[in-house]
Amino acid sequence: MEGDGGIDNPAFVPSSPSLARHLPASPAEVEVSVQTSPSEELPPPPPPPPPPQPAQVAELEEGPCGWGRFTPAFLQRCNNPKGFLFHYCLLALIQGIVVNGLVNISISTIEKRYELKSSLTGLVSSSYDISFCMLSLFVSFFGERGHKPRWLAFASFMMGLGSLIFSLPHFTSGEYHFGSKFEDTCPATGNVSNCRDVSSKLSSYLYVFILGQLLLGVGGTPLYTLGTAFIDDSVPTHKSSLYIGIGFSMSVLGPAIGYVLGGQLLKIYIDADMGKRTFIAEDDPRWLGAWWIGFILSWFLSWSLIVPFSCFPKQLPGTAETQAGKVSQAHQNGSAIQTSDKNFGKSIKDFPAALQTLLRNSVFMCLALSTSTEALITTGFATFLPKFIENQFGLSSSFAATLGGVVLIPGAALGQVLGGVIVSKFKMACKNIMKFSLLMSVLSLILSFVFIFAKCGNEPFAGVSEAYNGTGELGNLTAPCNVNCNCLDSFYYPVCGRDGVQYFSPCIAGCKNSVPQSQPKVYHNCSCIGSPEYAMPSAESLGYEAKAGKCESRCTNLPLFLGFFFVTVIFTFMAGTPITVAILRCVNTYQRSLALGVQFVLVRLLGTIPGPIVFGFAIDSSCTLWDVNQCGIRGACWLYDNTKMAFMLVGISFGCKVLTIFFNALAIFLYKPPPSGTNVTFQNENIVVASVPAEPDHSKMRHDG
């Protein structure tokens, strides 16, 4: 229906009869003026504003879902915070599946297929964080005044493009060729490998993988900065933590789905799309799985979210009313920029001033540093927890990875949601939120000592902790019983002898015959395996001398470890969502997106990037048996000192947890909330949008803050 004021859209109904008086102001263009004395007489109200014109409506852009004048009625069902949160969760889920799930589980396959060193694939993994750090500040600064849902549509496009490019090497590198069958037993001629360094053109695909990761980083930047700020804009203060916690929990569940999906796809032969079949089985060292399928699926899923995000308005209906009911809790440090220029923040010239103001906010910096030290621990454990479980409790790598995911992922997701629910339920103000996070960090610190009590000793290992049936010397895998086998020290395929001792490989154990059809594979005529001394022979063990796989651990601490670690993860992540909410509260409204950008830069520079490096160095320092090839180059570690590994990880966790608690406590000490009874008036030029009375409802302010 057309009228003098433009076109009335019947599909869009204002959320409040008083919305007209809120229309001229945009939360991004709000100035907060504070009167510190509640007894002072309020100035006379300005004359009533004229009826809202189309230009004013466009300035606020609080409107219906759609594109221009095309606003179908069915789209309006999603034009609310819950509808936006649903699509935000889907994008966070996809991001977690790709970046922290599929990429991590595909790295070892990519190394073998494209002949890349681990140091180079490490660069691939770091490319996402590098891209995020380079763009985070600028995206969060300019995106604060922009159309945040359209930024997320751009993020969906870049994530899909990054996934597509990451999968391209499979379609351009041709068919995978593998060599002859490898002999795992002691052959007559021996496995002889010469030292040779053959360069391959396949290694040039490294740059394609890096480009894909860089684009994924570009897509992830708006998600956790602008997306989180948009949710906080659209909901009341006491509900913000619940919505943010639900969104963050999806980013935690994403890697779990990525690991499960990627693990299943690796059971499909890599060239299945070419109609190729192979005679080698999955347990063959030459087997490569179809790592690329998951990235193709992520490409389609990411691009399917471009349309939904592009149809959301700049601000959801009711945002102005929600913002008018909020009271500022920004830290009062005297460094806030007071400006009435509605164009502030739209120019690159304003970036240094805005960043300087944010860095002077001591409470914000303390909270950001506390999340950085906590991120160092979480990323370190997320990377190496399967290896810790595998070596401490003598499990296979696949089963250890499954247990690690079962404990870490649900615990982290549950902690994120519980933290948001508790803060929302009790309507905590900023200082109480920080106190709650401090309590959770203290509890997780106490529980982290479970690593010392749940550790296990090392099982007997021939050539390392045990001699070969009384022959040979420790620290040398070669002994008189296997010297004629010419075994490869780089082929690690552990077997458990009937004597209860673990051997590096069937060849190292001197086994000459095998039964490949058996599950697990069994070996006979093993010259290095003696009579059972550590365990009585059972009816099962009399039929063979060795079986594939590690010896069963005698340690019974696994259930204790998993139970305590699960609780520790819950308490650790229960502090995550409240800290993010506290950061949004302690800074000025127009700096929330930039604050999240600075926080994520610090988290990556001080946490997620050095975390795996620090944990990897600590784990490597506990190695007792390294892989050294014929060229004398040291590769992976085959065996660790379990006790030393446990103490090293506890030491790192304790140090980082202490720093987290220190920065959190310092933030509580330094925080200065606005004086009680202040009159906060949101203004846009000369038009009053909303005002808080000089004598507000203190009970509501205490909780709703």
Side-chain angles (χ1 to χ4, degrees):
M1 180 175 63
E2 291 191 23
D4 296 335
I7 298 177
D8 294 330
N9 182 8
F12 175 58
V13 181
S15 59
S16 171
S18 60
L19 181 61
R21 68 187 184 94
H22 298 294
L23 285 175
S26 169
E29 300 173 356
V30 161
E31 178 187 357
V32 179
S33 61
V34 178
Q35 298 177 4
T36 57
S37 175
S39 60
E40 292 182 6
E41 184 177 355
L42 293 175
Q53 300 298 320
Q56 293 175 324
V57 176
E59 181 183 4
L60 183 67
E61 295 193 42
E62 182 180 299
C65 237
W67 302 271
R69 297 185 178 183
F70 180 69
T71 55
F74 70 91
L75 287 180
Q76 311 317 313
R77 298 178 181 178
C78 297
N79 196 21
N80 51 64
K82 292 182 179 179
F84 180 84
L85 178 64
F86 174 76
H87 293 90
Y88 175 89
C89 288
L90 290 179
L91 187 57
L93 193 69
I94 296 172
Q95 187 270 346
I97 290 175
V98 178
V99 177
N100 299 317
L102 294 176
V103 171
N104 292 340
I105 203 170
S106 303
I107 282 295
S108 60
T109 303
I110 292 173
E111 284 182 3
K112 298 175 184 178
R113 176 66 180 93
Y114 299 99
E115 302 176 8
L116 300 173
K117 298 179 180 179
S118 296
S119 58
L120 296 179
T121 54
L123 178 60
V124 173
S125 299
S126 300
S127 298
Y128 176 87
D129 291 320
I130 293 173
S131 176
F132 199 106
C133 289
M134 292 176 61
L135 299 175
S136 181
L137 295 180
F138 296 100
V139 169
S140 58
F141 176 74
F142 292 107
E144 173 61 38
R145 299 294 180 94
H147 198 298
K148 295 184 179 71
R150 290 178 185 172
W151 274 95
L152 293 187
F154 170 75
S156 302
F157 173 79
M158 297 305 295
M159 284 187 189
L161 183 61
S163 300
L164 175 62
I165 290 180
F166 204 92
S167 66
L168 285 182
H170 168 75
F171 301 99
T172 58
S173 57
E175 183 182 350
Y176 168 58
H177 298 281
F178 47 84
S180 59
K181 185 172 176 58
F182 189 85
E183 293 290 341
D184 59 351
T185 55
C186 178
T189 58
N191 289 311
V192 180
S193 177
N194 297 323
C195 175
R196 56 180 181 175
D197 185 11
V198 180
S199 59
S200 172
K201 295 182 179 179
L202 290 174
S203 59
S204 60
Y205 282 103
L206 169 71
Y207 304 103
V208 180
F209 292 120
I210 291 178
L211 176 61
Q213 278 283 71
L214 291 174
L215 294 178
L216 287 172
V218 174
T221 304
L223 175 63
Y224 294 109
T225 54
L226 304 180
T228 306
F230 186 82
I231 292 175
D232 189 62
D233 283 339
S234 307
V235 297
T237 302
H238 66 278
K239 289 185 179 180
S240 176
S241 58
L242 175 61
Y243 279 65
I244 294 175
I246 294 174
F248 282 4
S249 67
M250 292 298 104
S251 65
V252 175
L253 288 177
I257 299 176
Y259 270 91
V260 173
L261 175 63
Q264 295 300 314
L265 293 176
L266 290 181
K267 296 181 180 180
I268 304 173
Y269 185 60
I270 187 172
D271 289 332
D273 60 316
M274 303 179 185
K276 302 294 182 180
R277 294 184 179 181
T278 179
F279 60 85
I280 61 176
E282 294 179 39
D283 58 353
D284 193 295
R286 298 166 298 166
W287 171 274
L288 293 183
W291 61 272
W292 51 273
I293 298 179
F295 293 94
I296 297 296
L297 295 175
S298 301
W299 166 40
F300 284 108
L301 292 175
S302 297
W303 280 12
S304 67
L305 293 176
I306 296 176
V307 173
F309 277 119
S310 64
C311 76
F312 279 103
K314 185 175 182 180
Q315 293 171 333
L316 298 178
T319 299
E321 185 178 6
T322 300
Q323 291 294 322
K326 292 183 177 181
V327 178
S328 175
Q329 301 180 44
H331 171 56
Q332 303 299 301
N333 60 344
S335 63
I337 295 179
Q338 298 295 335
T339 177
S340 59
D341 184 8
K342 66 178 182 180
N343 293 319
F344 181 81
K346 296 183 179 180
S347 172
I348 188 64
K349 297 179 181 179
D350 301 327
F351 177 75
L355 183 61
Q356 184 181 17
T357 300
L358 200 58
L359 296 179
R360 287 181 178 178
N361 190 326
S362 56
V363 175
F364 160 73
M365 291 301 298
C366 288
L367 294 177
L369 290 174
S370 71
T371 58
S372 301
T373 54
E374 197 73 5
L376 191 147
I377 305 175
T378 55
T379 55
F381 274 117
T383 305
F384 294 106
L385 180 63
K387 175 173 284 191
F388 179 85
I389 296 176
E390 174 186 354
N391 289 276
Q392 288 287 332
F393 306 104
L395 304 176
S396 64
S397 58
S398 59
F399 188 50
T402 301
L403 286 180
V406 168
V407 173
L408 186 62
I409 303 302
L414 182 60
Q416 294 276 22
V417 175
L418 283 179
V421 168
I422 293 175
V423 171
S424 176
K425 178 68 175 179
F426 293 96
K427 301 181 180 180
M428 296 182 184
C430 186
K431 195 163 190 175
N432 290 333
I433 293 176
M434 291 186 284
K435 291 179 179 178
F436 173 77
S437 301
L438 178 63
L439 176 61
M440 296 300 102
S441 298
V442 171
L443 293 176
S444 62
L445 171 63
I446 297 174
L447 291 172
S448 64
F449 286 98
V450 67
F451 284 94
I452 296 179
F453 301 104
K455 71 179 186 300
C456 296
N458 292 88
E459 299 295 329
F461 197 106
V464 179
S465 59
E466 294 288 331
Y468 288 91
N469 198 18
T471 62
E473 58 183 11
L474 298 181
N476 189 0
L477 294 177
T478 304
C481 61
N482 60 26
V483 68
N484 295 324
C485 293
N486 296 318
C487 304
L488 294 179
D489 293 346
S490 58
F491 179 68
Y492 180 56
Y493 188 71
V495 294
C496 181
R498 65 179 180 180
D499 55 357
V501 178
Q502 184 174 311
Y503 294 84
F504 186 82
S505 68
C507 183
I508 292 291
C511 301
K512 297 179 177 62
N513 304 107
S514 65
V515 183
Q517 290 79 13
S518 60
Q519 292 294 333
K521 192 175 181 179
V522 297
Y523 299 87
H524 302 279
N525 298 329
C526 303
S527 57
C528 293
I529 298 177
S531 59
E533 297 180 1
Y534 296 91
M536 294 297 294
S538 61
E540 181 186 8
S541 65
L542 292 177
Y544 61 88
E545 293 187 65
K547 64 177 180 179
K550 299 178 181 179
C551 294
E552 294 183 4
S553 176
R554 301 179 180 89
C555 182
T556 59
N557 292 335
L558 180 60
L560 176 67
F561 169 79
L562 294 179
F564 274 92
F565 189 76
F566 180 74
V567 179
T568 304
V569 171
I570 291 177
F571 282 122
T572 298
F573 281 86
M574 281 181 69
T577 301
I579 285 292
T580 302
V581 175
I583 288 176
L584 293 172
R585 297 288 168 268
C586 73
V587 299
N588 293 322
T589 303
Y590 64 90
Q591 287 196 305
R592 287 174 301 175
S593 296
L594 182 60
L596 293 176
V598 173
Q599 178 207 7
F600 281 115
V601 168
L602 291 176
V603 163
R604 275 156 175 77
L605 292 178
L606 304 179
T608 59
I609 293 178
I613 298 175
V614 172
F615 272 71
F617 177 80
I619 291 177
D620 285 345
S621 66
S622 63
C623 181
T624 57
L625 178 63
W626 287 96
D627 169 28
V628 180
N629 63 14
Q630 282 72 19
C631 299
I633 300 175
R634 192 170 72 175
C637 178
W638 300 127
L639 193 64
Y640 297 90
D641 183 339
N642 289 340
T643 301
K644 184 177 180 180
M645 180 190 293
F647 276 99
M648 291 290 290
L649 297 188
V650 168
I652 296 174
S653 301
F654 178 79
C656 292
K657 285 287 186 182
V658 169
L659 289 176
T660 299
I661 294 172
F662 169 76
F663 286 124
N664 205 334
L666 185 61
I668 296 174
F669 175 76
L670 296 175
Y671 177 68
K672 296 179 180 178
S676 59
T678 53
N679 176 40
V680 182
T681 304
F682 293 86
Q683 297 179 345
N684 179 20
E685 297 180 352
N686 296 322
I687 302 176
V688 174
V689 179
S691 62
V692 179
E695 296 181 1
D697 185 349
H698 292 283
S699 61
K700 181 179 180 181
M701 178 176 292
R702 181 175 62 254
H703 298 290
D704 218 16

